[in-house]
Amino acid sequence: MIGYDNLAINRQIALDLPFREASGLITHDVAKPHHIASLAGHAPVWGEVALSGLGVLEFNGTSQYLEIPAADTQDLDFTGDFALAVWIHPVFGACDMLMCRSLLDNCGWEMYIDENASVNNYLSLRSNQAGSRTGAYASDFTADEWQLVGFDYDSATSLATAFKNGLPKVTTNNGGILDPIACGVTQKLLIGVQQGEISNFFKGKMWRPRAWPRKLGTAGWAQIFEYHRHWLGV
Amino acid sequence: MAEEDKVRGLSPNDLRRILGDALLAGVKLLGKKSDDTFENIITDDEGRLQVYDPKVGSLISYAGTTTADGAGDGSTLIDNVLTTEPDFDGNLVIITSGDYKGQARDIDGVTTGGTVTPLSAFGGQIVSGVTFVIAALRFTPAEVAAILAILSDVFDLVNALLVLTETGGMVTATGVGTEDNVYVNDDPTGVFKPLLVTIDLSDLAGGEVVTVRTYYRIAPGGAPVLKGAPVIFVGVQAEPLKDIELQPNRYGLEVTLEGTTGVVFPWEVFYKV
């Protein structure tokens, strides 16, 4: 038998939303913390990948997102190494939030995509500190196709590395990133919208947002890509 | 080529130092071959002798200079001359000048369009005017490619193994007459093996009731169908953890409860997926 927690990639995993419900207004975390993400009041649409039938969520870019209460997500208050990963099939807008638990120039982290035709779009990681913020970004994140995107953040070197489809991307760190400041119980985990829940809505399809309080490393990123790529036709 | 065919001689610079510029005027440097014929000795623009060694030459498929800037992240280099060359997909490309001199990558894609796509990006953008070499070296020979294909097949099987997974939550009963979802998988990707839902009835007090139902969909489309008789629990439970065993499924299932308003039911599910 293969046990979820016996897979090395799942060690210390703090969030894993595989969207298996395919109906309703909540979706459950299969990682140990059992986070429950709510769709209520701003529900993206349950859909599936035609190729495989894999269940995904479709966001309209104007009003739809997921949320998990601040009090339930203090285990996602990363202040050292961490990794964020999610499969996306984006329709680019100006700036679309993928995942965040943050308050701008105050605390926490956020990962978003930016439309920029000249560099085939950016994926950015932002870390917030008191009164300021630091960030990293990489280019070449294509619209209208499935791709596994995310970041490893290394606290010791203050460097983040972007990954796409299991491979590292050349990442600009602007002199280094500072560790995020803890948000405590003040900020929700939001998927598909920025804090405030009124702007920077993600448009497109999404599957399996995940987070770890550690880096995955090149081998780990290759593994999670190879493990699921066939479901998404990549 | 026979050993004696190798060209040996002084370079024009050597001769210029020995004879001086005046005496060198009009002199052509030739090399004598074993059949007593002569051929021009090739030098570069700075007069250095260029020796052709077929043993080395056989390793070089192509040497060129980029004609335009490649992708900003180093994932391509561009040389329009490649449109006149055969395809070098799978060979090794080596940067020989510029910021990323010395970096080598396997080529991952056809090159006859004038663009070389490395398997992984160079350290940064390969700008116009950078020299590079495509070596006749393939680090994924046919035998290795065959092994990789087999490994890929094995990996597909590994990916198909079901993984024991768990999740859970908490349901606050809406009230008698309304079914609340406990565990739902309404549209599985394929066959999977739900095993067990455990519901904690510790919050159920005297006079309160909860009814648990399990529904399965056994064909595509339509609503899930009730399976087995609803299970009814009334009042305080001496053994509050109740198990609902589940069956393999392909098209969807759900476990619901209908309970006294406000009673809270924590639950946990195990399934192989």
Side-chain angles (χ1 to χ4, degrees), chain B residues 125-193:
Chain B
Q125 185 177 36
I126 307 301
V127 298
S128 181
V130 168
T131 57
F132 66 97
V133 166
I134 294 177
L137 298 173
R138 300 172 75 91
F139 291 101
T140 310
E143 294 82 357
V144 175
I147 293 169
L148 287 175
I150 294 168
L151 275 177
S152 179
D153 291 343
V154 173
F155 196 70
D156 282 347
L157 290 173
V158 171
N159 273 346
L161 291 174
L162 300 183
V163 176
L164 180 63
T165 306
E166 182 265 6
T167 188
M170 193 172 294
V171 174
T172 301
T174 302
V176 174
T178 301
E179 287 186 55
D180 297 304
N181 287 335
V182 181
Y183 167 61
V184 177
N185 189 336
D186 197 51
D187 186 15
T189 305
V191 289
F192 78 118
K193 192 173 182 182

Side-chain angles (χ1 to χ4, degrees), chain A residues 121-133:
Chain A
N121 309 303
Y122 287 117
L123 177 75
S124 296
L125 179 71
R126 180 184 287 168
S127 170
N128 290 291
Q129 292 80 43
S132 66
R133 57 189 183 268

Side-chain angles (χ1 to χ4, degrees), chain A residues 13-180:
Chain A
I13 190 166
L15 178 77
D16 185 353
L17 297 171
F19 298 160
R20 293 201 173 107
E21 289 79 2
S23 70
L25 295 175
I26 56 175
T27 187
H28 291 86
D29 178 11
V30 296
K32 278 185 177 177
H34 278 187
H35 300 104
I36 297 174
S38 174
L39 291 68
H42 38 72
V45 177
W46 292 102
E48 63 179 35
V49 177
L51 172 74
S52 60
L54 180 71
V56 300
L57 283 171
E58 299 184 22
F59 298 74
N60 64 3
T62 58
S63 62
Q64 299 173 341
Y65 60 96
L66 304 179
E67 64 174 315
I68 307 177
D72 296 343
T73 51
Q74 292 185 78
D75 47 8
L76 301 175
D77 217 354
F78 304 130
T79 55
D81 292 353
F82 65 93
L84 306 170
V86 62
W87 283 91
I88 57 171
H89 188 287
V91 178
F92 277 94
C95 175
D96 302 331
M97 188 60 65
L98 299 177
M99 309 166 64
C100 65
R101 190 178 190 280
S102 64
L103 182 60
L104 187 62
D105 294 347
N106 191 304
C107 67
W109 51 266
E110 53 196 39
M111 179 168 70
Y112 56 94
I113 50 176
D114 263 323
E115 185 175 35
N116 188 316
S118 66
V119 295
N120 210 10
N121 309 303
Y122 287 117
L123 177 75
S124 296
L125 179 71
R126 180 184 287 168
S127 170
N128 290 291
Q129 292 80 43
S132 66
R133 57 189 183 268
T134 52
Y137 62 90
S139 58
D140 190 26
F141 293 87
T142 319
D144 300 320
E145 66 180 36
W146 280 108
Q147 55 210 286
L148 174 66
V149 305
F151 276 96
D152 260 1
Y153 170 64
D154 180 63
S155 177
T157 60
S158 297
L159 295 176
T161 303
F163 285 83
K164 176 184 175 184
N165 291 344
L167 295 173
K169 304 293 291 182
V170 175
T171 306
T172 301
N173 275 267
N174 286 332
I177 301 180
L178 299 175
D179 293 348

